[in-house]
Amino acid sequence: MSDPEPVDRTRDAGADETRTDADVGAPDDAILRVRDLDAGYGELQILSGIDLDVGDGEYVTIVGPNGAGKSTVMKTVFGLTTYLGGTISFESEPIHELPPERIIHKGISYVPQSNNVFDGLTVRENLEMGAYILDTVPESRIEAVYDRFPVLRDRRDQKAGTMSGGQRQMVAMGRALMLDPDLLLLDEPSAGLAPDLVDDMFDRIDEINENGTAVLMVEQNATEALRRCDRGYVLTQGQNAYTDAGTRLLADEEVRQQFLGG
Amino acid sequence: MGATKLLDRGRGSRSLPLLLAWLVGILLVLDIGARLAGVEIPLAAGRTFGGSMSVAQFGGLVWNGVIVGLIFGLAGIGLSMTYSILNFANFSHGDLITTGAFTGWGAALLVSGWGLAEAGTLLLVRAASGPSPNEIGASIIQAPLAIAIGVVVAAVATVLVTVAIDRVVYRPMRDRGGIALLIASIGVALGLRYVVQFVFGSRSRGVTATDGVRTTIAGVSVNLHELTLFVVALVLMGGMHLLLQRTKLGTAMRAMADNKDLALVTGIPTERVVTATWILGGALAGVAGYLYVLERGTIEFNIGWFLLLFIFAAVILGGIGSIYGAIAGGLVIGLVHEVSLVWISGDFNAAAAFLIMVIVLLYRPEGLFSGVTTA
């Protein structure tokens, strides 16, 4: 883990000469650097020419209309799609040709949108599986996850499949946090949650990020996601449209009209 | 409203046969009670309700049911695991059982009959004429070590064959879907069976020595080979339970049976788990075949194939994907198979076992242990 201090993400604004002052560009200390990425599923190309960066400890959201390829970006970073061209590097190492189990070793964890817990396993077993690549399950990590989600400690012997949507999402995030990743990929973490739980979920993601873990998130609840993140990407038809500070994208009239429903 | 009505009608048309099945079941239980009590009530056409059956006779049937049930269950564990983790019904499982039986008994006869005949004859499980089983003396009394070595060899040899088949046939087809794999497994089953037949011959022959195997312990007559089967099967089932519930590998196997995609993104080495599944399933199948021959005393190239239908019945009845379901289903099928002999002749008791399977599936399509995936 790196620099645990809160960093002002906007400090790099204007560092890149080609951008206008209003832009908040990618930080120079990007741990994830995606360049000119083409990817898809088999023959079907979804993404073309994607550029995306996530800085160390940064909180980045991808928004865009349905079918823009938001989730595909995330899956491609994690090695779950067909790579067609371009580069993905993580902490300066190319990872675009690695399978998911190798990418986990590099320090990236991924929480899929649905079916993201092992229903037949207990909460504790779910967490243990998150640390499968380690020789022994670090008890301190399990405790850290329990501290973050206290309800999981109370329900550690309960089968994950019998839990509520919000609790399952906590199990899924807890599992992904078991390796203390440098980058956490979250695919629609608020999907399927009752409205009163959505805020709570976003608060927890804030906490995880404040602890130093970089977050790359796809969210249907774009307004809330942009409000909370450091920086947002707007994706349309498998291509980047804009990137800027989340709050500035929110304020942008065009973005609002096109992607956030006015 | 319409949907509710439809549902009700659906239930109504099914509840009558269910009631009938329960009624028949209760009558049969009462009949056994009457027979044990020696009560006989004449019915029409020379048939009677009740009759006479000694407790020992009935106990013998139940015991036989448990013994075959344990074989079905032990072999079924592997079938159920490959179904839930690899997503296909493996029709070559029966011939893995046969493989274990022949290789294990080859080793057991070689050890117990060393010097009595050519090593080749012994290793090929008396393929050629030679000393009789009683001369070779392969029994738990005369050669316990040979019997134990046979168990180990059956497991190891079957594992080697299973893993080799996976590497050559199933692994390249991993993403092809259940139907393609199922059909491939039928081909593997035929191939394996004919290799066994080619190597070991097609003659059905005795292998175990019988002297002193039936004895009396605490006033009860027991067959020591059946007792061996009982103990070894229970130990292996207990071991599987501990492995699945207490070890990291076992948890990963359950995780993978639950959700393969998530297992992949969690960093579980899925291919290694698949190999472990084949190893465990193959070992149990091989030992099941070996123990089956220990109990029945004779060996033949198609024993596993004939067992396979019962094992499928047991696994489906128990809820495919659950090892506990496989064990419970095995015991139910085994008990029905044997206890039905009270009323019907030995030519029909297999039908009774399958009838029970059909009835259970009609009313509980997901099997007895539904929703318990490899757990």
Side-chain angles (χ1 to χ4, degrees):
Chain A
M1 289 307 306
S2 52
D3 194 15
E5 277 175 57
V7 181
D8 180 10
R9 304 290 161 218
T10 59
R11 73 191 157 162
D12 292 323
D16 188 333
E17 299 297 325
T18 63
R19 293 175 197 270
T20 65
D21 282 351
D23 274 342
V24 177
D28 292 335
D29 60 344
I31 51 169
L32 181 73
R33 204 177 278 278
V34 176
R35 286 293 173 271
D36 200 21
L37 179 70
D38 297 340
Y41 302 98
E43 300 279 289
L44 180 69
Q45 184 171 352
I46 307 278
L47 305 177
S48 56
I50 296 286
D51 291 330
L52 181 144
D53 294 272
V54 178
D56 198 356
E58 199 183 15
Y59 183 175
V60 175
T61 304
I62 306 175
V63 296
N66 280 336
K70 304 186 296 284
S71 296
T72 310
V73 172
M74 203 109 74
K75 286 182 185 159
T76 306
V77 169
F78 207 67
L80 295 168
T81 61
T82 313
Y83 164 77
L84 299 170
T87 57
I88 305 172
S89 55
F90 184 68
E91 288 169 345
S92 308
E93 283 177 72
I95 59 166
H96 48 263
E97 283 176 317
L98 298 182
E101 65 261 33
R102 299 288 311 284
I103 292 173
I104 290 169
H105 280 269
K106 303 280 180 198
I108 304 181
S109 287
Y110 169 60
V111 182
Q113 179 183 345
S114 53
N115 294 325
N116 53 16
V117 298
F118 297 112
D119 287 343
L121 270 55
T122 64
V123 168
R124 198 194 145 86
E125 285 171 337
N126 265 278
L127 298 182
E128 286 173 0
M129 286 298 101
Y132 192 93
I133 64 169
L134 304 180
D135 290 334
T136 54
V137 178
E139 214 50 50
S140 61
R141 285 305 303 166
I142 290 195
E143 282 305 317
V145 170
Y146 285 161
D147 288 342
R148 190 169 293 291
F149 306 108
V151 67
L152 299 188
R153 179 183 279 121
D154 302 337
R155 297 181 177 240
R156 56 182 174 262
D157 294 324
Q158 190 177 333
K159 293 258 162 78
T162 65
M163 301 176 89
S164 71
Q167 289 165 350
R168 291 162 61 97
Q169 197 65 30
M170 291 181 203
V171 174
M173 285 208 206
R175 179 188 55 69
L177 289 173
M178 280 300 289
L179 294 174
D180 198 4
D182 295 339
L183 174 61
L184 184 63
L185 306 176
L186 298 173
D187 195 347
E188 306 259 7
S190 80
L193 292 189
D196 54 324
L197 291 175
V198 171
D199 254 1
D200 182 56
M201 182 54 59
F202 280 120
D203 287 345
R204 290 172 191 282
I205 296 167
D206 285 350
E207 283 168 30
I208 292 167
N209 177 244
E210 279 157 19
N211 235 31
T213 306
V215 174
L216 177 62
M217 177 172 82
V218 166
E219 241 313 312
Q220 47 167 7
N221 191 342
T223 312
E224 187 64 18
L226 287 176
R227 202 170 65 74
R228 296 197 178 232
C229 71
D230 295 323
R231 207 156 46 81
Y233 282 88
V234 179
L235 206 68
T236 49
Q237 296 178 345
Q239 295 178 319
N240 291 89
Y242 321 91
T243 176
D244 206 336
T247 45
R248 252 182 278 183
L249 284 176
L250 261 183
D252 187 306
E253 200 54 39
E254 196 181 343
V255 172
R256 289 181 67 89
Q257 281 192 345
Q258 280 193 290
F259 309 116
L260 306 178
Chain B
M1 290 313 251
T4 322
K5 228 178 212 169
L6 211 68
L7 263 180
D8 280 348
R9 202 180 314 147
R11 205 168 293 151
S13 68
R14 281 161 54 126
S15 65
L16 186 68
L18 182 63
L19 204 69
L20 221 65
W22 274 111
L23 205 67
V24 170
I26 291 166
L27 273 176
L28 291 178
V29 170
L30 286 176
D31 182 68
I32 286 179
R35 282 170 198 253
L36 289 174
V39 178
E40 191 168 348
I41 303 159
L43 300 173
R47 301 258 167 188
T48 60
F49 179 81
S52 66
M53 178 171 63
S54 71
V55 174
Q57 264 176 324
F58 182 65
L61 289 176
V62 170
W63 173 250
N64 287 346
V66 169
I67 290 300
V68 271
L70 286 174
I71 292 288
F72 297 156
L74 195 62
I77 290 173
L79 191 66
S80 190
M81 286 199 309
T82 45
Y83 181 85
S84 61
I85 292 175
L86 287 138
N87 266 341
F88 83 102
N90 179 16
F91 272 76
S92 61
H93 201 74
D95 298 286
L96 295 174
I97 294 169
T98 314
T99 306
F102 273 98
T103 51
W105 281 104
L109 293 190
L110 186 68
V111 174
S112 61
W114 188 256
L116 292 172
E118 278 178 53
T121 308
L122 294 170
L123 210 51
L124 293 178
V125 200
R126 304 183 54 245
S129 54
S132 72
N134 275 332
E135 285 165 349
I136 295 171
S139 79
I140 192 73
I141 305 251
Q142 292 166 266
L145 182 67
I147 299 296
I149 289 173
V151 172
V152 175
V153 171
V156 171
T158 313
V159 164
L160 292 177
V161 170
T162 310
V163 172
I165 291 171
D166 179 56
R167 289 294 177 272
V168 175
V169 183
Y170 301 132
R171 183 148 87 173
M173 298 181 65
R174 200 76 91 211
D175 302 323
R176 292 279 191 82
I179 298 295
L181 282 161
L182 183 153
I183 291 168
S185 79
I186 294 175
V188 170
L190 289 168
L192 199 53
R193 197 172 325 144
Y194 288 116
V195 168
V196 169
Q197 191 180 5
F198 180 77
V199 173
F200 294 96
S202 54
R203 191 169 63 93
S204 172
R205 63 266 201 185
V207 282
T208 57
T210 48
D211 294 342
V213 166
R214 187 163 279 285
T215 179
T216 310
I217 298 174
V220 181
S221 164
V222 276
N223 178 328
L224 289 177
H225 281 166
E226 290 175 353
L227 195 65
T228 308
L229 182 157
F230 183 80
V231 171
V232 174
L234 284 191
V235 166
L236 289 177
M237 287 170 177
M240 271 310 292
H241 163 75
L242 290 179
L243 186 135
L244 279 174
Q245 298 298 333
R246 300 283 167 81
T247 69
K248 189 172 161 185
L249 173 69
T251 312
M253 290 174 71
R254 287 186 288 131
M256 216 178 136
D258 229 16
N259 190 334
K260 275 162 216 67
D261 295 335
L262 187 61
L264 189 70
V265 302
T266 302
I268 294 171
T270 48
E271 268 304 315
R272 231 183 295 162
V273 175
V274 166
T275 304
T277 306
W278 281 121
I279 289 174
L280 291 167
L284 292 181
V287 172
Y290 178 83
L291 292 175
Y292 181 52
V293 171
L294 178 71
E295 182 256 343
R296 78 203 287 260
T298 58
I299 198 165
E300 205 177 340
F301 75 99
N302 52 18
I303 49 167
W305 177 247
F306 288 147
L307 275 179
L308 186 65
L309 206 50
F310 289 102
I311 295 165
F312 263 119
V315 166
I316 293 167
L317 177 71
I320 198 152
S322 157
I323 73 152
Y324 307 109
I327 295 168
L331 287 172
V332 170
I333 295 285
L335 283 169
V336 171
H337 189 263
E338 296 301 320
V339 174
S340 62
L341 291 172
V342 171
W343 305 283
I344 56 183
S345 82
D347 299 331
F348 294 109
N349 63 340
F354 289 111
L355 183 68
I356 282 291
M357 182 193 82
V358 170
I359 291 174
V360 171
L361 287 184
L362 273 177
Y363 295 99
R364 204 176 155 77
E366 63 284 10
L368 297 174
F369 279 63
S370 58
V372 190
T373 41
T374 311

